[in-house]
Amino acid sequence: MKRRKTPKYSIFIKTGRIAFVAGLVSLAFCAVFARLYYLHVVNSSTSIEATDKARKRFDRLEARRGDITDSRGNLLATSLPVITLGVDPLFFKRSICAENNVNPAELESGAKLNLKPGDSTELKLRSLALLLEMPYDELYAKCTGNGRWVKLAEINDSSLYEKISALRIKGVYGNRKYIRTYPSGALMAHVVGFVNKEFNPVMGAERQFDYYLRGQDGWIETERSANRKEVAQFRTRDCPPADGMNVELSIDLIMQEMAQREIRNIVEKYNPKNAAIIISEPSTGYILGMASYPSFDPNDYNKYGQDALRNHAISDQYEPGSTFKVVTISAALNESIVGPDDEFDCGAATVSYKGRILRLPKEAHPMSTLSVRDITKKSSNKGAAHLGILLGEKKLYEYSKLFGYGEKTNIGLIGEASGTLHQVKDWDGLTITRLPMGHAIAATPLQVHCAMSVIANQGIYMQPQIVKRIYYKDGNTAINYAPQAVRRVLSPKVASLMSEMLAEVVGPEGTARRASLDGFKVAGKTGTSQKIVNNRYSTKDHVASFSGFFPAQRPRLVITVVVDSPHLKGVGYGGIVAAPSFKSIAEQAANYLGIQSDAEFEKIVAWKGIK
């Protein structure tokens, strides 16, 4: 058989095919080479940055915010760890594909992922559904859905998360974070304050001491492999978080409950616009209780209006009325201008001052000639005006400043108002007769409280404080807030005399007899100030107040009650509205703190004297 010759044109075709394929391969290599050249030479910086970004991992380690406690260690604010459990559906589905030899491209085309009953992943998912108390179908839908992150649950129990982690379900993991919670709820809302969802402090001690509470976040800088797991040997930085320090307030939770309960009683009985009660130790300036109405729950702060968030004890400004008379009377005594038994005509309509005839203020009830004691006891407006005129404008202004009026107390809480005390050059012709009775001035309840504390503390103005110390989690003290004496306002002799005279205010003939306390001598002063409505003093709207201390001769507590616009028949006098609340709190506090009655104290003093 003859061998057939291959035509010459066939050789050319085969050679052309080989050349064509070789050319394509060469072009592909050239393209790859060009791409590599572009990435590694021309655009090297961008490529390196992208590679590092994909490879390197930076994790922030959240610091735990410190606790806030009361003076007895009761927890008022704390941070609880919460694990947000979620699933990466894409990673979950790809891991299932790898286990079952399924092409991941099929999932990307929309094919449904079916788990075989009884296989390991299906059993793990059913176990997870039981742990989360979630229907299996719902859990399955979330794990096989779209996206890179689907939240499954928030877990407060660390042991539960350990059980979930032990299942080792690929794509299911948790992120740890902290949530702020307030165990005392609305009871301590205005003093403790709160942090918002971004953990930014908004008010109260949370904001005042945020520098110490927030701590310092840590971080880990490392590298991760292709399956997004950390490669520990390439960890370059590992800075652990420094948890925040704890804050111990001067507030006593039990005393705060007393104040808050009494405010609830006031609201039920008088339905006021707002109210405030302050309790403190006169010798230290530590605030033991500070309650305001309306209030709010810091655990659900976003459900309340702005008025509920205001701390009325430090932000409301009102004319203090007769509670201010302690400034005028004690200043006149301290300057030795008058004595306690000097008398004044409190029935006169006018008085002469610097060559002018001034109209004296009106009285709630007709008065006649009164001694300084009686002016204090009966709360005479005209008597206070007489004493103010004897003091003179400069001295009256200076003593008002010494008692703390016209400036913030610097207690540190956000929202504190400074009040209003006009300089002498801005006074009008009647200020010298109106300021002594507590008009032509604006003050906060805390300022009135601090002024009364001067009398209770032998004439010394103490810095009001709501914190005792800042301490580490091991209990050791970092910063101690000791009592601070700011200035001497009155001599001890005058302060003692004022205590004696103010005790008569709470006596049978005084304006505050409803504040009297069995077994104790109480000293204090009522206030009933008309509110200005439409630029005129209203005959219906009043601010009723009482500020006092007990025992009068050895003061342990100062209590101030301020009620704005109480609703009742007639005038809402401080002696009717506020004084009974003082009595209620004082009775409870005396039992709680074990304060000896005057008779018991005198027996002990006499026994020690005999011994």
Side-chain angles (χ1 to χ4, degrees), residues 501-516:
M501 292 166 57
L502 289 173
E504 295 181 17
V505 176
V506 189
E509 298 179 1
T511 60
R513 49 189 176 274
R514 290 178 176 83
S516 62

Side-chain angles (χ1 to χ4, degrees), residues 165-197:
S165 299
L167 294 175
R168 298 187 179 278
I169 303 175
K170 295 182 178 179
V172 175
Y173 60 96
N175 296 318
R176 187 181 296 273
K177 66 176 183 178
Y178 290 99
I179 60 169
R180 198 67 165 168
T181 184
Y182 302 91
S184 59
L187 182 62
M188 298 287 291
H190 293 101
V191 176
V192 173
F194 64 94
V195 295
N196 58 21
K197 293 181 180 179

Side-chain angles (χ1 to χ4, degrees), residues 410-449:
N410 292 323
I411 195 171
L413 295 174
I414 191 70
E416 182 182 12
S418 60
T420 302
L421 175 64
H422 297 293
Q423 296 184 17
V424 175
K425 64 182 180 66
D426 297 322
W427 289 13
D428 61 25
L430 289 176
T431 301
I432 191 62
T433 61
R434 300 308 189 262
L435 180 59
M437 57 177 279
H439 283 199
I441 183 175
T444 66
L446 182 59
Q447 288 174 328
V448 172
H449 183 85

Side-chain angles (χ1 to χ4, degrees), residues 317-493:
Q317 301 180 77
Y318 67 102
E319 288 190 336
S322 295
T323 54
F324 184 83
K325 290 174 184 174
V326 299
V327 176
T328 308
I329 298 168
S330 60
L333 292 170
N334 201 60
E335 291 295 315
S336 299
I337 297 173
V338 296
D341 298 317
D342 290 347
E343 295 182 337
F344 295 87
D345 183 3
C346 296
T350 60
V351 66
S352 175
Y353 178 68
K354 291 185 177 180
R356 295 182 293 125
I357 301 299
L358 300 180
R359 182 167 48 85
L360 289 172
K362 295 180 180 180
E363 300 279 17
H365 306 285
M367 303 283 183
S368 57
T369 299
L370 299 176
S371 67
V372 174
R373 287 183 184 276
D374 291 334
I375 289 172
T376 306
K377 180 169 59 178
K378 296 182 180 297
S379 193
S380 170
N381 294 334
K382 292 183 179 182
H386 281 302
L387 295 176
I389 287 173
L390 287 179
L391 270 173
E393 296 168 342
K394 183 180 178 183
K395 285 293 182 181
L396 181 57
Y397 175 79
E398 288 176 353
Y399 271 95
S400 299
K401 294 287 287 185
L402 287 173
F403 271 91
Y405 288 99
E407 60 186 13
K408 294 181 179 180
T409 66
N410 292 323
I411 195 171
L413 295 174
I414 191 70
E416 182 182 12
S418 60
T420 302
L421 175 64
H422 297 293
Q423 296 184 17
V424 175
K425 64 182 180 66
D426 297 322
W427 289 13
D428 61 25
L430 289 176
T431 301
I432 191 62
T433 61
R434 300 308 189 262
L435 180 59
M437 57 177 279
H439 283 199
I441 183 175
T444 66
L446 182 59
Q447 288 174 328
V448 172
H449 183 85
C450 290
M452 183 59 71
S453 299
V454 169
I455 308 296
N457 192 40
Q458 300 181 347
I460 298 175
Y461 184 100
M462 298 296 294
Q463 172 63 48
Q465 299 188 89
I466 64 163
V467 64
K468 277 192 170 181
R469 65 174 184 138
I470 295 173
Y471 63 99
Y472 301 105
K473 58 184 178 182
D474 60 4
N476 291 324
T477 300
I479 303 173
N480 187 46
Y481 288 81
Q484 298 179 29
V486 179
R487 56 184 172 267
R488 174 165 288 283
V489 181
L490 304 172
S491 69
K493 181 180 179 180

Side-chain angles (χ1 to χ4, degrees), residues 103 121 145 147 161 203 268 320 468 591:
N103 187 357
T121 304
Y161 182 66
M203 60 179 289
E268 290 176 4
K468 277 192 170 181
N591 291 328

Side-chain angles (χ1 to χ4, degrees), residues 72-194:
R72 297 178 184 270
N74 296 305
L75 206 57
L76 305 178
T78 189
S79 295
L80 299 177
V82 174
I83 299 170
T84 303
L85 186 71
V87 61
D88 181 344
L90 182 60
F91 187 76
F92 176 82
K93 291 186 289 186
R94 285 180 176 175
S95 64
I96 300 302
C97 291
E99 292 176 1
N100 295 277
N101 296 321
V102 177
N103 187 357
E106 296 181 14
L107 296 179
E108 296 175 3
S109 64
K112 185 177 180 181
L113 175 64
N114 293 312
L115 292 177
K116 297 177 182 179
D119 71 4
S120 61
T121 304
E122 196 262 352
L123 292 174
K124 289 179 180 179
L125 276 186
R126 290 194 179 277
S127 298
L128 178 59
L130 290 174
L131 291 173
L132 297 179
E133 298 181 354
M134 179 186 295
Y136 173 78
D137 292 339
E138 180 182 347
L139 176 62
Y140 177 81
K142 290 183 176 182
C143 291
T144 58
N146 298 320
R148 295 303 305 267
W149 168 255
V150 176
K151 180 180 176 180
L152 297 178
E154 284 196 350
I155 301 173
N156 299 324
D157 187 355
S158 57
S159 62
L160 175 60
Y161 182 66
E162 290 176 1
K163 293 178 182 178
I164 294 173
S165 299
L167 294 175
R168 298 187 179 278
I169 303 175
K170 295 182 178 179
V172 175
Y173 60 96
N175 296 318
R176 187 181 296 273
K177 66 176 183 178
Y178 290 99
I179 60 169
R180 198 67 165 168
T181 184
Y182 302 91
S184 59
L187 182 62
M188 298 287 291
H190 293 101
V191 176
V192 173
F194 64 94

